[in-house]
Amino acid sequence: METFRPAFVDRPRPLISYGIPFPEAISRHVVDTFKASRVYVICSGSLARNTNSLDRVAETLKKVKVEVVGKRIGMKSHTLWSEVLEIAADARATQADLILTLGGGSLTDGAKVIAYALANNAESFDDLETLCMGKNQEPPSNPDPRPPSIPIVSVPTTLSAGEYSNFAGATNDQTHRKHSFQAPCRGPQLIVLDPALIASTTPESIWLSTGIRAVDHCVETYCAIKGTTEDTDQLSLNALANLVPGLVRCRHDPEGKDLDARLTCQLGSVDAMAACTNSRATVDLGASHGIGHQLGPLGVGHGETSCILLPAVCKYNAKYNANNERQARLRDFLLKQDIVVKVVESRGLQKDTADLGDVLDAVIRELGMPRSLKEVGVGRDKLDGLAQNSLADRWVRTNPVPLNEKEQVLEILEMVV
């Protein structure tokens, strides 16, 4: 039986669907919810090569007289502007009235920027430059950008949870700098969750690392020093109560039989995004996200950036007495989970003396994820440029210890080099 509801209690969109196979949910809502008939599909390369997902979608849509008018197989990580423009031109030519994504966060961000580009007739790098935030997060130079009109439906295969936000990141190929696209940019209107698809297709490393990305959303929201509310606190805790045990269960289920663990993680990522995008609060994230945005263009996956940076950022903030009380509360909450206590103790730590950074480090190591820049191929020679680029990201300035100097960013990077 399908569960079909708003993802967040405080907003009518996006909607989520789960409980039925993803092709059935797509065909039902393309017609009933969006009244669309010409679908453009953006599918991850691995799904297209290794599964019959595209065929299943096309066959099911055909039964309800909906045409797949175009397809794009694969996008590079971190959503390159060149690919955004290519797909936008193709979707424009096919007169698509709905964009469907099957895959991870780069595809979802791509679809957001593509829909935004279509609405504003953006056909070049210069056009995109007028729609993104400026170097120091100044508003776009386009004084009156139009909101997207073409809806997006996403079937995510990771836990990054960018499907639930109305902003996107995309990388200028020429400068290798990642830019933010914000309101009136718009995210997917429907997200379809299917743990059976995840279990059979998503590599464990991608699933677990992007799960830590969702954990990062929770931790940096809960540990913020401004803007938090009882709602954001509770949503963060609800999400962590699902995500952390669920991820450990997935790690110990390599054959993918525990579908409940995967759905639990997916629902945890929904609450994580509900916390950090809450309509009744303005909570800015911190340096794990801010530095991670610029680490990404060096070839490091979204989830891996959080695996490497989050514990170090927690320790840095604690060192300078920025949010110690909030970190302690979150640490205590995590250590109420039996599965977390077992992980911490198995790593030789004492739960009475471990701080939040230690607990997160233990969980990430239990999942087998990278904990240093060296493990993902980023050498010391990249640190200076990485630190300089990070200073342009708004979330390093909203870190509990605002990072305004390159030396501050370098101090964090030295912890993980």
Side-chain angles (χ1 to χ4, degrees), residues 46 337 381 384:
S46 59
Q337 314 286 327
D381 61 309
D384 192 77

Side-chain angles (χ1 to χ4, degrees), residues 268-282:
S269 75
V270 176
D271 280 343
M273 286 304 291
C276 66
T277 63
N278 193 277
S279 65
R280 293 191 289 268
T282 302

Side-chain angles (χ1 to χ4, degrees), residues 38-358:
R38 300 177 63 80
V39 175
Y40 192 97
V41 181
I42 307 173
C43 181
S44 79
S46 59
L47 274 181
R49 288 189 302 270
N50 303 323
T51 76
N52 64 348
S53 298
L54 272 177
D55 291 339
R56 291 173 64 194
V57 168
E59 289 169 7
T60 310
L61 287 175
K62 187 176 181 180
K63 292 176 182 177
V64 292
K65 297 181 171 53
V66 172
E67 183 181 0
V68 175
V69 295
K71 287 185 282 191
R72 171 70 177 221
I73 306 302
M75 291 184 71
K76 292 180 181 177
S77 297
H78 304 290
T79 314
L80 302 182
W81 284 15
S82 58
E83 295 191 330
V84 164
L85 292 171
E86 288 172 8
I87 301 169
D90 196 19
R92 186 181 295 113
T94 63
Q95 298 182 316
D97 58 8
L98 185 141
I99 297 174
L100 170 67
T101 70
L102 302 170
S106 293
L107 304 186
T108 308
D109 271 6
K112 295 179 197 178
V113 184
I114 289 160
Y116 197 26
L118 288 171
N120 291 278
N121 299 313
E123 299 179 353
S124 68
F125 276 44
D126 288 343
D127 292 339
L128 288 180
E129 192 79 46
T130 69
L131 296 174
C132 68
M133 304 296 286
K135 184 175 181 180
N136 294 304
Q137 297 304 303
E138 304 96 343
S141 59
N142 184 331
D144 190 26
R146 291 184 290 275
S149 58
I150 186 169
I152 302 167
V153 174
S154 286
V155 184
T157 55
T158 74
L159 289 166
S160 294
E163 314 82 47
Y164 300 97
S165 74
N166 288 323
F167 53 85
T171 302
N172 183 322
D173 309 39
Q174 297 170 352
T175 64
H176 305 292
R177 183 165 171 266
K178 199 163 191 176
H179 295 261
S180 176
F181 293 80
Q182 299 190 33
C185 188
R186 184 178 295 157
Q189 300 298 289
L190 171 65
I191 297 96
V192 177
L193 308 179
D194 189 338
L197 175 67
I198 302 299
S200 63
T201 61
T202 303
E204 181 186 62
S205 61
I206 300 296
W207 180 250
L208 297 177
S209 65
T210 57
I212 294 299
R213 185 67 167 179
V215 168
D216 198 348
H217 297 334
C218 302
V219 172
E220 291 214 315
T221 297
Y222 191 90
C223 291
I225 56 174
K226 292 192 298 184
T228 59
T229 66
E230 288 186 8
D231 284 345
T232 62
D233 285 354
Q234 193 57 55
L235 286 165
S236 297
L237 297 180
N238 291 347
L240 288 169
N242 280 330
L243 281 164
V244 177
L247 289 169
V248 175
R249 284 169 59 191
C250 289
R251 170 63 169 168
H252 296 291
D253 176 46
E255 296 183 2
K257 295 180 179 178
D258 191 347
L259 297 184
D260 180 69
R262 283 156 180 80
L263 181 59
T264 294
C265 290
Q266 289 182 306
L267 295 176
S269 75
V270 176
D271 280 343
M273 286 304 291
C276 66
T277 63
N278 193 277
S279 65
R280 293 191 289 268
T282 302
V283 184
D284 289 312
L285 301 179
S288 180
H289 280 77
I291 300 171
H293 287 159
Q294 302 309 321
L295 185 56
L298 297 180
V300 185
H302 289 295
E304 291 176 329
T305 68
S306 292
C307 293
I308 293 165
L309 289 166
L310 180 58
V313 169
C314 289
K315 283 187 170 289
Y316 178 88
N317 290 332
K319 176 182 176 181
Y320 293 100
N321 301 310
N323 57 358
N324 297 53
E325 186 268 339
R326 282 198 158 262
Q327 285 203 36
R329 281 162 53 188
L330 194 53
R331 165 205 170 277
D332 291 346
F333 175 81
L334 289 172
L335 289 173
K336 289 178 182 176
Q337 314 286 327
D338 289 341
I339 201 166
V340 177
V341 173
K342 290 178 181 177
V343 167
V344 167
E345 291 179 343
S346 73
R347 296 276 157 187
L349 298 173
Q350 299 296 319
K351 68 175 187 177
D352 294 335
T353 57
D355 62 19
L356 178 59
D358 294 329

